[in-house]
């Protein structure tokens, strides 16, 4: 029984261990920005994990680099540019607003517009149908 | 008839979009490097064979060069090793190895055991230079022009086919200005 309890306790400590063992930054403001950045940069080795969540060794190296760049006084945009220059825009989870990405940002709006137009036309046609029904005295099916 | 034409057209369009997506899937899983067409990133790293002669970005210039990022912990690197040895035998393009996040003793043992395809090996113990090169998984191979520009990048194990179809044609298109002269390292 005691061994079983020990096993459970040990299993729980494994879960509690953080992936990110990078030293905390000296100020809460910097730490907050570090948190933001490591959550919006992609781990290139595992591709669908953020830097903050990944246990890949490259992710650890990149977290250290983000920390150092923050300490060196770089802005968030500078740090993003630093990463994009090396790994390409794919490292950003949130695509940039640029002409190259225009279709990506524009497509949802465009599709919604198309949907609205189609929906509007159907509604308009239906409303006209109702009007024509009433004006049709010869409609036998209605007479009951 | 007209009622079905529009949905049918939409369906066919969707089919085409999905098919194109499927066919392009393999090339999309490989990420393009932003380094292509740019000068090699600045670096100075210790030389595995000769600690008094560090390897710098400047020393890469003057001839075509294959830069191969590897590590003894990397399984695919073992798979491509034979091909690297063949490229060395061919004698057209020297290979610079970047030993990524590795122990020197392990690297030396590996090269003794499997043969050494590299002209020089730079050791990147903490992986900093690899990040500047945009490396995200070994092995990766870069083709560097005599002017010191990154011309091509291959991710994954080097194969004879990739070497013949992607690397050599680029070298042939613009041979080095001074063929035959190779760097001082060995």
């Amino acid at each position: 029984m005691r061994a079983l309890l020990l096993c459970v306790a040990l299993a729980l400590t494994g879960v509690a261990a953080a992936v990110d063992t990078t030293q905390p930054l000296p100020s809460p403001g910097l730490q907050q920005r570090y948190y933001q950045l490591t959550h919006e940069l992609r781990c290139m080795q595992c591709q669908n994990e953020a830097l903050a969540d990944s246990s890949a060794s490259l992710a650890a190296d990149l977290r250290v680099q983000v920390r150092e760049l923050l300490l060196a006084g770089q802005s968030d945009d500078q740090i993003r540019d630093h990463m994009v220059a090396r790994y390409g825009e794919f490292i950003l989870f949130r695509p940039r607003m640029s002409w190259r990405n225009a279709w990506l940002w524009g497509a949802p709006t465009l599709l919604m517009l198309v949907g609205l137009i189609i929906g509007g036309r159907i509604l308009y046609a239906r409303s006209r149908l109702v009007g024509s029904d009433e004006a049709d005295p010869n409609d036998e099916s209605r007479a009951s | 008839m007209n009622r079905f034409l529009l949905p049918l057209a939409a369906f066919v369009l969707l089919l085409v979009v999905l098919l194109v997506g499927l066919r392009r899937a393999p090339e999309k899983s490989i990420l393009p490097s932003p380094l292509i067409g740019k000068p090699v990133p600045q670096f100075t790293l210790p030389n595995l064979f000769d600690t008094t002669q560090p390897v710098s970005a400047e020393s890469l210039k003057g001839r075509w060069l294959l830069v191969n990022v590897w590590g003894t912990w990397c399984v695919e690197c073992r798979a491509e090793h034979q091909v690297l040895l063949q490229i060395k035998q061919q004698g057209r393009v020297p290979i610079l190895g970047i030993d990524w996040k590795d122990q020197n003793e392990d690297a030396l043992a590996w090269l003794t055991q499997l043969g050494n395809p590299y002209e020089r090996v730079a050791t990147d113990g903490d992986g900093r230079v690899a990040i500047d090169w945009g490396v995200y998984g070994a092995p990766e191979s870069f083709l560097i022009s005599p002017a010191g520009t990154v011309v091509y990048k291959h991710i994954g194990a080097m194969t004879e086919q990739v070497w013949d179809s992607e690397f050599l044609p680029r070298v042939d298109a613009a041979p080095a200005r001074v063929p035959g002269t190779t760097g001082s390292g060995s």
Side-chain angles (χ1 to χ4, degrees):
Chain A
M1 188 60 204
R2 194 174 275 187
L4 186 74
L5 272 176
L6 189 67
C7 283
V8 171
L10 282 176
L12 285 177
T13 57
V15 175
V19 169
D20 189 350
T21 53
T22 315
Q23 262 195 312
L25 283 135
S27 83
L30 281 178
Q31 188 62 31
Q32 171 64 28
R33 285 172 58 207
Y34 173 82
Y35 182 88
Q36 277 282 333
L37 281 167
T38 52
H39 278 87
E40 64 179 70
L41 291 171
R42 190 190 298 267
C43 163
M44 300 301 287
Q45 228 153 29
C46 12
Q47 299 203 353
N48 282 328
E49 270 184 313
L51 278 191
D53 308 323
S54 178
S55 56
S57 70
L58 179 64
D61 291 352
L62 287 175
R63 282 196 295 265
V64 170
Q65 202 151 76
V66 169
R67 182 177 185 275
E68 286 173 357
L69 292 173
L70 280 170
L71 285 175
Q74 295 219 354
S75 74
D76 290 359
D77 275 335
Q78 279 175 315
I79 295 174
R80 282 189 205 107
D81 287 344
H82 177 95
M83 294 298 171
V84 168
R86 283 156 183 77
Y87 289 100
E89 257 188 68
F90 187 69
I91 199 166
L92 305 173
F93 271 127
R94 188 183 310 147
R96 285 184 162 160
M97 288 272 196
S98 63
W99 280 114
R100 240 186 91 205
N101 292 340
W103 64 270
L104 191 66
W105 287 100
T109 322
L110 207 72
L111 285 175
M112 202 174 79
L113 272 178
V114 170
L116 279 178
I117 289 169
I118 292 176
R121 281 185 62 170
I122 290 175
L123 282 180
Y124 180 68
R126 290 244 172 121
S127 68
R128 277 183 49 143
L129 216 61
V130 172
S132 67
D133 252 9
E134 276 174 348
D136 187 3
N138 298 327
D139 192 345
E140 303 245 323
S141 65
R142 295 243 161 190
S144 62
Chain B
M1 188 60 211
N2 209 7
R3 285 185 57 195
F4 297 105
L5 216 60
L6 202 66
L8 188 72
F11 177 70
V12 170
L13 193 72
L14 191 69
L15 219 62
V16 169
V17 169
L18 291 179
L19 259 177
V20 169
L22 259 181
R23 300 204 59 169
R24 286 189 53 193
E27 65 185 84
K28 274 194 160 172
S29 67
I30 285 176
L31 303 167
S33 168
L35 254 67
I36 305 290
K38 301 221 173 88
V40 292
Q42 282 304 318
F43 72 90
T44 309
L45 283 176
N47 188 333
L48 180 66
F49 304 123
D50 182 0
T51 42
T52 62
Q53 294 274 319
V55 182
S56 69
E58 265 316 297
S59 71
L60 308 190
K61 290 183 183 171
R63 65 228 158 96
W64 285 96
L65 187 73
L66 178 64
V67 173
N68 178 249
V69 182
W70 64 290
T72 55
W73 43 266
C74 146
V75 182
E76 279 283 277
C77 298
R78 193 173 278 267
E80 72 168 1
H81 204 78
Q82 274 307 317
V83 180
L84 295 181
L85 286 169
Q86 280 171 27
I87 293 171
K88 184 203 178 184
Q89 277 223 308
Q90 205 174 41
R92 296 207 44 198
V93 180
I95 311 174
L96 168 74
I98 295 183
D99 188 23
W100 185 30
K101 301 194 78 155
D102 210 352
Q103 303 294 325
N104 284 3
E105 312 87 77
D106 293 347
L108 287 167
W110 163 289
L111 294 176
T112 316
Q113 188 197 343
L114 298 174
N116 176 18
Y118 304 110
E119 180 192 79
R120 286 183 297 171
V121 174
T123 53
D124 185 20
D126 56 8
R128 248 159 226 284
V129 170
I131 289 177
D132 286 342
W133 283 72
V135 170
Y136 65 86
E140 289 188 11
S141 300
F142 299 82
L143 185 63
I144 312 299
S145 79
T149 309
V150 180
V151 173
Y152 187 74
K153 175 185 182 181
H154 176 69
I155 296 163
M158 175 66 74
T159 62
E160 261 179 88
Q161 199 233 327
V162 169
W163 178 249
D164 288 342
S165 65
E166 300 292 352
F167 283 79
L168 274 185
R170 289 178 165 84
V171 176
D172 287 333
R177 288 157 298 178
V178 273
T181 48
T182 47
S184 51
S186 65

